[in-house]
Amino acid sequence: MVAGEEADPSEMILGGGRLTPGIVKIGQTVRRPKSAFTRTLLLHFAQAGFDGVPQHLGRDELDRDILEFLPGDVPAKWRALTDDQVAAAGSLLRRFHEASQALAERLGGGPVICHNDAGPNNTVFRHGRPVAFIDFDFASAGDPLDDVAYMAWSWCISSKPTRGYVASQAHQVRVLADAYRLSAAQRARLMDAVHERLVRNEYFWTARASNGPPVISGPPPTEVLAWTSAEKAFVARFQTVFAAALA
């Protein structure tokens, strides 16, 4: 918005977004900066009959993407979740990947389209159950195990003492693997994939802290980087516990 310009009273700024500015709700729609890939992805899902994402409804007069507003609750932060919620998330991610396969085949780069940020904070819950994913800024073709690894971390694993015993976290990683229907070979690679994702997060937030644009909300990049490093050390420390649960 230009300095001195009044905000449109019909637009409600949506909270929760950390990296993408200009996301607002108008009526039962969400307006976001346009993304050709998001448009392609959501139109593909609509054609495939997958209802676990919002519909793409076109572009508005400001050339923003118009997305369906999905009613429900979106957690502001990662938190402890139940086994049933983790299982439902794993099943939802499996359906997301299966519905994306034809598009990934056309694009190349991997067998499925990965969300790449499928944490609880990018998931719509209804009656306590995860039913849809939102925010596809990082989506791309890739290895489905990358998405499962990110979900294992963001839904099941935490170095914070308040998040419970490691054995309970490892059990939830097993619940996720079962719900997604990981193969034996994928289960053997899962915790290595979690570690690799944490390393990638360190690179991302290191660059963001040194020369990237500021985050819109939440802690600064340096704080996120320190937390990510603590999470990586936690996963490495208890690697055998997690691996045993998956065996």
Side-chain angles (χ1 to χ4, degrees):
M1 183 168 53
V2 178
E5 185 179 55
E6 292 186 4
D8 185 337
S10 68
E11 296 189 356
M12 181 179 71
I13 297 174
L14 290 175
R18 300 190 61 200
L19 303 177
T20 304
I23 303 175
V24 299
K25 180 176 181 284
I26 301 178
Q28 295 306 305
T29 67
V30 173
R31 313 298 172 98
R32 294 175 54 96
K34 70 176 180 180
S35 163
F37 184 76
T38 294
R39 178 180 182 275
T40 298
L41 179 63
L42 296 184
L43 291 177
H44 169 81
F45 278 137
Q47 187 174 22
F50 176 62
D51 62 356
V53 296
Q55 292 188 51
H56 191 282
L57 304 175
R59 297 248 166 85
D60 67 10
E61 67 281 358
L62 299 178
D63 206 25
R64 299 177 296 189
D65 282 327
I66 308 173
L67 307 184
E68 172 191 19
F69 176 76
L70 297 177
D73 301 312
V74 179
K77 298 180 179 179
W78 296 359
R79 53 181 173 79
L81 297 156
T82 68
D83 288 1
D84 286 345
Q85 289 171 321
V86 170
S91 297
L92 179 64
L93 185 65
R94 177 79 185 206
R95 291 174 53 223
F96 179 97
H97 286 163
E98 289 175 343
S100 76
Q101 287 174 349
L103 177 60
E105 184 177 352
R106 294 203 305 272
L107 296 176
V112 303
I113 302 298
C114 290
H115 185 286
N116 286 320
D117 198 13
N121 55 310
N122 282 324
T123 305
V124 177
F125 288 69
R126 292 194 196 117
H127 307 294
R129 183 179 180 83
V131 296
F133 295 123
I134 57 174
D135 192 351
F136 309 97
D137 289 345
F138 295 114
S140 65
D143 183 343
L145 195 63
D146 289 345
D147 257 359
V148 181
Y150 186 80
M151 186 171 275
W153 172 35
S154 59
W155 289 71
C156 309
I157 300 171
S158 176
S159 62
K160 296 179 179 179
T162 55
R163 286 285 297 273
Y165 296 110
V166 175
S168 298
Q169 295 184 24
H171 166 74
Q172 285 204 332
V173 173
R174 172 63 179 263
V175 168
L176 174 64
D178 290 347
Y180 187 88
R181 306 199 306 276
L182 285 183
S183 67
Q186 288 173 318
R187 287 168 188 263
R189 293 171 46 215
L190 178 57
M191 293 313 298
D192 285 339
V194 172
H195 173 80
E196 290 167 9
R197 181 54 195 254
L198 286 162
V199 170
R200 285 164 53 195
N201 255 43
E202 283 186 321
Y203 286 142
F204 177 87
W205 287 106
T206 296
R208 196 88 187 190
S210 62
N211 55 21
V215 296
I216 299 168
S217 63
T222 51
E223 187 175 327
V224 178
L225 179 59
W227 166 68
T228 302
S229 298
E231 295 284 283
K232 187 180 73 170
F234 178 84
V235 168
R237 179 183 176 189
F238 295 105
Q239 178 84 7
T240 56
V241 178
F242 289 110
L246 287 163

